[in-house]
Amino acid sequence: MDQALRNQLQRVTQDARQLLEAEVAEQLEGTYDILPDGMIHDKPGAHLNDREHLTRRKLVDAIQHRVAGGKTSYEAVADYTREVAFTVLNRFIALKMLEARNLVQQCVSRGELSSGFKEFVGLASGLAELPDKGYRLYLECLFDELSIEVKILFDRRDVASLLWPRRQALTGLLTILNQPQLASAWDQDETIGWVYQYFNSSEERRKMRDESQTPRSSHELAVRNQFFTPRYVVEFLTDNTLGRLWYEIRQGDTRLKEQCRYLVRR
């Protein structure tokens, strides 16, 4: 992946993170009375229905679990907000990459006009009566199917799945990811690795290093040291460990001579 495409991917990742974190924060405060400073009202508002009451209890438990682990209330809310944004973004990035490899039908590249969703609606015409015409249900069905093989990423029982981007935020996320400039990124294996790295901005890392020379928490340790390893570095390491071991066992009589591009021969 060339530098220009990586720069574009970095901007897109940060734009998506800001959008999703703002959306999560608005839902936590506006719907579930969980404030950004960590304050949680004892009783939820009367506007919540039974399902939202259950969701709120799970949200409060998830935040209090982080407090029990040593975080302040403010840090716990911020940590949960970041986790939800990270999970949602990774899932949609994965769907874009699966689409590019024809492993799933078109599902997010054209939003509600995607061919896979049209087929889904055709099988259950009553979905058209839902506010989003059943698009959320369609994507959640995809997540459930994919979680059979990729459980960690797509498991909707995870606490990071308690909140779903509302229509405007979801539309904004798809607009960000479906930019034509990114079209060549989705069939490249490195893309999701760069997204992992770019989710943590350089400014965030710099601020942490300015405040403390050593990581002050496991989160800081991950953010300050989480860098994606490019494919050529991985190939160099494997070529000169496993590749070299086999090369020497075979005394050079192996196809690896041509296949291992970075093998350093004596």
Side-chain angles (χ1 to χ4, degrees):
M1 184 180 294
D2 61 41
Q3 187 63 51
L5 185 55
R6 292 205 304 270
N7 291 342
Q8 180 69 18
L9 196 59
Q10 183 175 21
R11 288 191 292 270
V12 162
T13 301
Q14 282 296 305
D15 288 346
R17 175 183 175 176
Q18 291 173 15
L19 181 149
L20 290 170
E21 287 188 343
E23 169 65 9
V24 173
E26 288 178 14
Q27 287 194 44
L28 287 176
E29 181 173 8
T31 303
Y32 298 103
D33 298 314
I34 300 174
L35 308 187
D37 62 4
M39 178 181 175
I40 301 175
H41 293 294
D42 294 333
K43 295 182 179 180
H47 61 285
L48 298 184
N49 57 35
D50 290 343
R51 181 175 180 178
E52 290 170 335
H53 273 285
L54 177 60
T55 297
R56 185 181 189 272
R57 286 199 295 271
K58 292 180 178 179
L59 289 169
V60 172
D61 288 346
I63 291 168
Q64 289 180 342
H65 177 73
R66 287 164 168 75
V67 173
K71 296 183 183 295
T72 65
S73 296
Y74 168 79
E75 291 171 339
V77 173
D79 183 69
Y80 181 74
T81 300
R82 180 173 51 249
E83 182 181 351
V84 175
F86 184 72
T87 301
V88 172
L89 177 59
N90 282 335
R91 286 175 176 172
F92 279 83
I93 292 289
L95 289 180
K96 289 286 294 182
M97 296 180 71
L98 289 168
E99 276 188 0
R101 290 159 176 77
N102 295 316
L103 296 174
V104 297
Q105 282 186 274
Q106 187 185 67
C107 53
V108 292
S109 290
R110 298 187 63 203
E112 295 175 10
L113 297 177
S114 297
S115 59
F117 178 55
K118 288 183 177 181
E119 181 176 319
F120 182 77
V121 172
L123 297 172
S125 56
L127 294 175
E129 303 300 322
L130 296 176
D132 66 347
K133 301 178 183 179
Y135 191 52
R136 172 179 177 174
L137 178 61
Y138 165 66
L139 292 176
E140 288 181 333
C141 287
L142 266 181
F143 292 165
D144 290 342
E145 183 178 351
L146 292 167
S147 70
I148 296 173
E149 296 187 20
V150 195
K151 189 169 185 177
I152 294 177
L153 178 56
F154 291 105
D155 187 2
R156 291 197 299 118
R157 294 172 298 178
D158 188 276
V159 292
S161 299
L162 291 171
L163 300 179
W164 180 267
R166 293 169 296 184
R167 190 176 184 85
Q168 183 175 355
L170 182 58
T171 301
L173 176 62
L174 294 179
T175 299
I176 290 172
L177 297 183
N178 291 328
Q179 295 180 44
Q181 303 94 311
L182 281 180
S184 62
W186 306 122
D187 62 356
Q188 298 195 38
D189 295 341
E190 294 188 359
T191 295
I192 201 163
W194 286 115
V195 170
Y196 286 161
Q197 175 173 327
Y198 293 146
F199 189 83
N200 302 308
S201 67
S202 55
E203 292 79 10
E204 191 175 6
R205 291 192 180 93
R206 189 179 304 114
K207 181 174 182 294
M208 289 178 178
R209 293 190 178 105
D210 289 343
E211 292 175 351
S212 174
Q213 291 186 349
T214 58
R216 296 166 293 183
S217 65
S218 58
H219 169 67
E220 277 201 15
L221 180 64
V223 171
R224 291 168 66 156
N225 296 284
Q226 184 172 332
F227 295 98
F228 175 63
T229 306
R231 186 179 185 89
Y232 77 91
V233 176
V234 176
E235 288 188 18
F236 180 88
L237 294 173
T238 55
D239 286 359
N240 290 284
T241 50
L242 295 175
R244 171 165 295 285
L245 179 62
W246 182 250
Y247 179 84
E248 292 179 350
I249 289 174
R250 298 291 300 172
Q251 296 182 350
D253 183 19
T254 172
R255 287 177 296 175
L256 290 185
K257 289 187 295 185
E258 291 75 34
Q259 294 175 348
C260 292
R261 297 183 296 168
Y262 300 102
L263 177 62
V264 179
R265 305 179 191 177
R266 291 193 175 93

mmCIF file of all heavy atoms in Angstrom, residues 37 68 70 131 155 202 208 228 246:
data_model
loop_
_atom_site.group_PDB
_atom_site.id
_atom_site.type_symbol
_atom_site.label_atom_id
_atom_site.label_comp_id
_atom_site.label_asym_id
_atom_site.label_seq_id
_atom_site.Cartn_x
_atom_site.Cartn_y
_atom_site.Cartn_z
ATOM 1 N N ASP A 37 -18.905 13.025 32.000
ATOM 2 C CA ASP A 37 -18.009 13.168 33.154
ATOM 3 C C ASP A 37 -18.056 11.953 34.081
ATOM 4 O O ASP A 37 -17.368 11.912 35.103
ATOM 5 C CB ASP A 37 -18.338 14.437 33.936
ATOM 6 C CG ASP A 37 -19.753 14.438 34.522
ATOM 7 O OD1 ASP A 37 -20.466 13.410 34.377
ATOM 8 O OD2 ASP A 37 -20.164 15.459 35.100
ATOM 9 N N ALA A 68 -14.459 -0.624 38.743
ATOM 10 C CA ALA A 68 -13.951 -1.630 39.682
ATOM 11 C C ALA A 68 -12.532 -2.051 39.325
ATOM 12 O O ALA A 68 -11.760 -2.482 40.192
ATOM 13 C CB ALA A 68 -14.871 -2.845 39.696
ATOM 14 N N GLY A 70 -10.235 -0.034 38.422
ATOM 15 C CA GLY A 70 -9.297 1.035 38.774
ATOM 16 C C GLY A 70 -9.454 2.334 38.019
ATOM 17 O O GLY A 70 -8.740 3.305 38.289
ATOM 18 N N PRO A 131 -38.699 1.714 10.498
ATOM 19 C CA PRO A 131 -38.159 3.063 10.236
ATOM 20 C C PRO A 131 -36.972 3.072 9.279
ATOM 21 O O PRO A 131 -36.836 3.970 8.451
ATOM 22 C CB PRO A 131 -37.757 3.554 11.634
ATOM 23 C CG PRO A 131 -38.644 2.791 12.569
ATOM 24 C CD PRO A 131 -38.828 1.447 11.940
ATOM 25 N N ASP A 155 -19.388 -10.842 17.269
ATOM 26 C CA ASP A 155 -20.269 -11.347 18.313
ATOM 27 C C ASP A 155 -21.127 -10.217 18.896
ATOM 28 O O ASP A 155 -20.620 -9.333 19.576
ATOM 29 C CB ASP A 155 -19.442 -11.999 19.425
ATOM 30 C CG ASP A 155 -20.310 -12.687 20.469
ATOM 31 O OD1 ASP A 155 -21.550 -12.699 20.305
ATOM 32 O OD2 ASP A 155 -19.756 -13.205 21.453
ATOM 33 N N SER A 202 -1.721 10.246 16.128
ATOM 34 C CA SER A 202 -0.367 10.608 16.554
ATOM 35 C C SER A 202 -0.413 11.661 17.655
ATOM 36 O O SER A 202 0.442 11.680 18.546
ATOM 37 C CB SER A 202 0.436 11.120 15.354
ATOM 38 O OG SER A 202 -0.237 12.200 14.716
ATOM 39 N N MET A 208 0.252 11.558 25.438
ATOM 40 C CA MET A 208 0.575 10.581 26.474
ATOM 41 C C MET A 208 2.058 10.616 26.817
ATOM 42 O O MET A 208 2.443 10.555 27.996
ATOM 43 C CB MET A 208 0.178 9.177 26.008
ATOM 44 C CG MET A 208 -1.312 8.933 25.940
ATOM 45 S SD MET A 208 -1.685 7.265 25.337
ATOM 46 C CE MET A 208 -3.482 7.280 25.420
ATOM 47 N N PHE A 228 1.221 -1.096 13.198
ATOM 48 C CA PHE A 228 1.014 -2.184 12.253
ATOM 49 C C PHE A 228 2.339 -2.556 11.603
ATOM 50 O O PHE A 228 3.142 -1.701 11.244
ATOM 51 C CB PHE A 228 0.015 -1.742 11.179
ATOM 52 C CG PHE A 228 -0.167 -2.749 10.092
ATOM 53 C CD1 PHE A 228 -0.679 -4.005 10.370
ATOM 54 C CD2 PHE A 228 0.194 -2.459 8.790
ATOM 55 C CE1 PHE A 228 -0.835 -4.945 9.368
ATOM 56 C CE2 PHE A 228 0.031 -3.388 7.780
ATOM 57 C CZ PHE A 228 -0.491 -4.637 8.075
ATOM 58 N N TRP A 246 14.397 -24.215 6.543
ATOM 59 C CA TRP A 246 14.087 -25.219 5.525
ATOM 60 C C TRP A 246 15.132 -25.210 4.401
ATOM 61 O O TRP A 246 15.532 -26.251 3.892
ATOM 62 C CB TRP A 246 12.696 -24.957 4.953
ATOM 63 C CG TRP A 246 12.271 -25.976 3.931
ATOM 64 C CD1 TRP A 246 12.130 -25.809 2.595
ATOM 65 C CD2 TRP A 246 11.940 -27.344 4.188
ATOM 66 N NE1 TRP A 246 11.728 -26.967 1.973
ATOM 67 C CE2 TRP A 246 11.604 -27.933 2.936
ATOM 68 C CE3 TRP A 246 11.897 -28.130 5.343
ATOM 69 C CZ2 TRP A 246 11.222 -29.263 2.823
ATOM 70 C CZ3 TRP A 246 11.515 -29.457 5.227
ATOM 71 C CH2 TRP A 246 11.188 -30.010 3.975
#
